[in-house]
Amino acid sequence: MLSSIVKEHQSKQAARKERQEQKRKEAVQAASNLTQALVDHLNVGVAQAYLNQKKLDAEAKQLQHSATNFAKQTQSWLNLIESFSSALKEIGDVENWARSIEGDMRTIATALEYSYKGMIVIELPMF
């Protein structure tokens, strides 16, 4: 009888240990699943942030390239405008020069005309 009680007690204790071991394994598995789910959830956010950062870097490079091209084009336009401005100044200088020459020629023509008229007037009384 005592031996049967001890055996019964040992078998119940072994069954309890078995259940306890099973529960421990389930708890470890549940904790592992929870940890994995949390890590996956965090990784999704990190992965999204990484993708956004890559997109931002690509767009920043594109913007830098566009800004560089725009600066080159703007410099080209400035050079073209400067050339145009210089050409206009030269045209103005040539126009001034032409007016000056024209005035000088008129003065010379007038002087020659007066000189010619003076010669005619001088020659007429001498006949």
Side-chain angles (χ1 to χ4, degrees), residues 71-87:
K72 287 178 184 176
Q73 188 175 22
T74 302
Q75 188 60 44
S76 174
W77 288 344
L78 289 174
N79 291 339
L80 185 63
I81 288 171
E82 183 64 31
S83 297
F84 182 69
S85 178
S86 294

Side-chain angles (χ1 to χ4, degrees), residues 18-110:
E18 183 75 26
R19 279 192 308 243
Q20 188 176 17
E21 184 62 26
Q22 183 65 24
K23 296 286 183 186
R24 187 189 67 77
K25 286 181 182 178
E26 288 174 4
V28 167
Q29 184 61 37
S32 176
N33 290 344
L34 175 64
T35 303
Q36 187 62 41
L38 289 173
V39 167
D40 288 345
H41 179 70
L42 290 175
N43 281 343
V44 167
V46 170
Q48 187 63 41
Y50 176 74
L51 290 176
N52 289 344
Q53 184 64 39
K54 278 181 74 173
K55 287 179 186 176
L56 285 174
D57 288 344
E59 288 180 16
K61 285 180 184 177
Q62 180 64 31
L63 180 62
Q64 171 114 18
H65 181 68
S66 296
T68 302
N69 286 343
F70 182 68
K72 287 178 184 176
Q73 188 175 22
T74 302
Q75 188 60 44
S76 174
W77 288 344
L78 289 174
N79 291 339
L80 185 63
I81 288 171
E82 183 64 31
S83 297
F84 182 69
S85 178
S86 294
L88 284 178
K89 285 180 185 177
E90 287 176 12
I91 289 172
D93 290 345
V94 168
E95 187 178 353
N96 246 356
W97 175 77
R99 284 184 189 153
S100 176
I101 294 294
E102 184 180 7
D104 290 347
M105 294 303 259
R106 282 188 182 150
T107 304
I108 291 171
T110 303

